[in-house]
């Protein structure tokens, strides 16, 4: 059996398996490998979504009776310690007779966490933090949602270099080019929900679908969420979306996120308009900013953001830029609130 520091390769394999799981939904993507007493991998598994076997149980199911006794389970996330759609993985591992459990990142869930302590209490050797940074980056949106009890929130806007999202007559198509717009559709596809205000629906009549280069619908579609109290025409394009839209007649963005969490949504993609985006920013409910900048100047008062509660320069919302990417002639700047970015970087250290 490898020494405690020798499980990086097995954890890397478990992380590769985790990528097979669904990128949306309330459950995390988790991978697991079972390492035999001779150091070879004897079982593999991953979590396929709500109601299916967790990664540890999936891996154990590939083994014959008693084959896991004395083995090591290497799993990307701390084994769960609660009964939901399935039983606790910590108990399954104990009953299988594993001698050691190696995991990367602790489970921050109030109900699901604590598996490591339960395993130790049963006499299982437990090692945490193996490849923690890699797994933290992979599970970032789920970990944030689990820690905060709400969906991970990404806000997106496209603007000119001087921060305008439309000309004075209201026209806005197209500020950015095709490469940037296609990236937006890919980001929509990776989200559980796409959120806009009633003002955007009334002004632009968007379909809120995720589409490919040829206009075809992509395999995964975000659920459209319309926030606000104004009525929407019954023939609006959003009602032809593959998923029925969620209509939330409120201006309370925290209430919106509570509703979406109850629906099992992990990642919310806020597209606008500026009133709605500003409300999320002002409430401190943004985890990631996706800002598309076009090399143009428009001028006027059609700004990407309105009032976010900053009255003096000392109150400005400080961000940390995590990446800058060129898409055609446009830039995609990804940023996070500075405090959240610092917390992310310290995870697992």
């Amino acid at each position: 059996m490898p020494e405690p520091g020798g499980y990086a390769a097995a954890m890397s394999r478990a992380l590769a398996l985790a990528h097979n799981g669904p990128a949306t939904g309330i459950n995390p993507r988790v991978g697991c490998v079972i390492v035999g007493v001779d150091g070879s991998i004897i079982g593999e598994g991953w979590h396929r979504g709500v109601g299916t076997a967790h990664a540890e149980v999936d891996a154990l199911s590939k083994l014959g009776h008693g084959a896991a006794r004395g083995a090591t389970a290497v799993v990307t996330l701390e084994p769960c310690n609660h009964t939901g759609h399935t039983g606790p993985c910590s108990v399954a591992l104990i009953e299988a007779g594993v001698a050691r459990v190696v995991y990367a990142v602790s489970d921050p869930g109030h109900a699901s966490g604590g598996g490591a302590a339960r395993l130790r209490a049963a006499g299982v050797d437990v090692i945490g933090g193996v490849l923690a940074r890699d797994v933290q980056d992979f599970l970032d949106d789920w970990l944030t949602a689990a820690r905060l009890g709400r969906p991970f929130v990404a806000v997106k806007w496209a603007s000119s270099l001087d921060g305008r999202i439309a000309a004075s007559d209201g026209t806005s198509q197209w500020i950015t080019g095709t490469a940037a717009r296609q990236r937006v559709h890919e980001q929509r596809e990776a989200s559980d929900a796409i959120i806009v205000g009633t003002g955007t629906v009334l002004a632009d009549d968007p379909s809120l679908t995720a589409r490919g280069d040829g206009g075809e619908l992509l395999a995964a579609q975000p659920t459209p969420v319309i926030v606000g109290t104004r009525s929407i025409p019954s023939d609006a394009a959003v009602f032809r979306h593959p998923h029925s839209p969620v209509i939330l007649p409120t201006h309370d963005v925290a209430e919106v996120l509570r509703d979406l969490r109850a629906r099992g949504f992990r990642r919310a993609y806020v597209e606008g308009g500026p009133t709605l985006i500003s409300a999320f920013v002002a409430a401190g409910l943004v985890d990631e900013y996706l800002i598309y900048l076009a090399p143009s100047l428009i001028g006027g008062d059609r700004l990407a953001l309105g009032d976010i509660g900053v009255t003096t320069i000392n109150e400005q919302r400080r961000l940390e830029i995590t990446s800058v990417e060129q898409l055609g002639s446009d830039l995609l700047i990804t940023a996070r609130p500075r405090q959240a970015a610092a917390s992310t970087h310290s995870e697992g250290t």
Side-chain angles (χ1 to χ4, degrees):
M1 183 180 292
E3 291 303 310
Y7 288 103
M11 186 65 75
S12 183
R13 175 58 184 165
L15 180 55
L17 291 168
H19 280 78
N20 293 320
T24 56
I26 200 167
N27 284 13
R29 290 187 285 177
V30 180
C32 176
V33 298
I34 308 297
V35 180
V37 293
D38 64 352
S40 65
I41 292 177
I42 59 175
E44 297 184 338
W46 68 88
H47 183 49
R48 291 164 173 80
V50 174
T52 66
H54 288 192
E56 300 93 319
V57 174
D58 186 44
L60 290 171
S61 71
K62 313 294 175 55
L63 305 179
H65 179 71
R69 190 162 300 280
T72 295
V74 179
V75 59
T76 52
L77 183 66
E78 176 189 9
C80 70
N81 193 39
H82 80 304
T83 299
H85 292 281
T86 60
C89 293
S90 53
V91 172
L93 292 167
I94 292 167
E95 291 178 346
V98 299
R100 175 179 287 168
V101 172
V102 178
Y103 68 91
V105 176
S106 297
D107 187 335
H110 296 297
S112 55
R118 188 168 190 170
L119 288 160
R120 288 191 181 100
V124 178
D125 184 25
V126 180
I127 302 168
V130 176
L131 295 191
R133 179 60 60 82
D134 292 346
V135 176
Q136 158 68 27
D137 290 344
F138 173 68
L139 284 177
D140 180 50
D141 59 351
W142 182 84
L143 289 168
T144 298
R147 186 172 64 251
L148 299 178
R150 61 162 176 78
F152 180 97
V153 176
V155 300
K156 163 263 171 182
W157 68 77
S159 71
S160 58
L161 286 180
D162 56 346
R164 270 61 182 181
I165 60 170
S168 59
D169 65 353
T171 56
S172 60
Q173 296 183 332
W174 296 104
I175 291 176
T176 55
T178 56
R181 297 200 299 274
Q182 188 53 46
R183 178 60 59 83
V184 169
H185 284 285
E186 293 165 2
Q187 291 168 345
R188 288 180 177 183
E189 184 187 30
S191 303
D192 293 279
I194 177 171
I195 307 177
V196 298
T198 52
T200 293
V201 174
L202 294 172
D204 300 336
D205 194 26
S207 66
L208 302 182
T209 52
R211 302 183 298 278
D213 290 334
E216 75 281 5
L217 292 179
L218 296 177
Q221 292 292 322
T223 297
V225 178
I226 315 300
V227 177
T229 55
R230 285 186 280 181
S231 298
I232 301 170
S234 59
D235 61 349
V238 71
F239 290 114
R240 297 189 291 277
H241 193 284
H243 299 308
S244 297
V246 174
I247 311 296
L248 299 177
T250 180
H251 296 293
D252 184 341
V253 291
E255 179 184 340
V256 169
L257 295 183
R258 286 192 294 270
D259 182 284
L260 299 186
R261 178 67 173 178
R263 295 173 189 269
F265 291 168
R266 178 197 309 177
R267 187 179 184 93
Y269 191 69
V270 183
E271 281 215 29
T275 300
L276 183 64
I277 288 178
S278 298
F280 274 98
V281 176
L285 293 173
V286 179
D287 302 301
E288 185 173 62
Y289 292 84
L290 303 166
I291 303 169
Y292 292 84
L293 289 179
S296 67
L297 301 173
I298 297 176
D301 59 359
R302 303 272 183 160
L303 293 168
L305 284 179
D307 181 13
I308 58 171
V310 174
T311 59
T312 182
I313 198 64
N314 291 334
E315 297 173 350
Q316 63 186 300
R317 304 298 180 98
R318 294 284 187 178
L319 306 180
E320 179 174 315
I321 294 175
T322 58
S323 68
V324 178
E325 182 180 0
Q326 185 152 1
L327 297 167
S329 60
D330 305 311
L331 294 179
L332 167 57
I333 298 176
T334 303
R336 295 204 167 187
R338 182 170 291 180
Q339 183 177 3
S343 174
T344 296
H345 291 164
S346 66
E347 191 84 33
T349 60

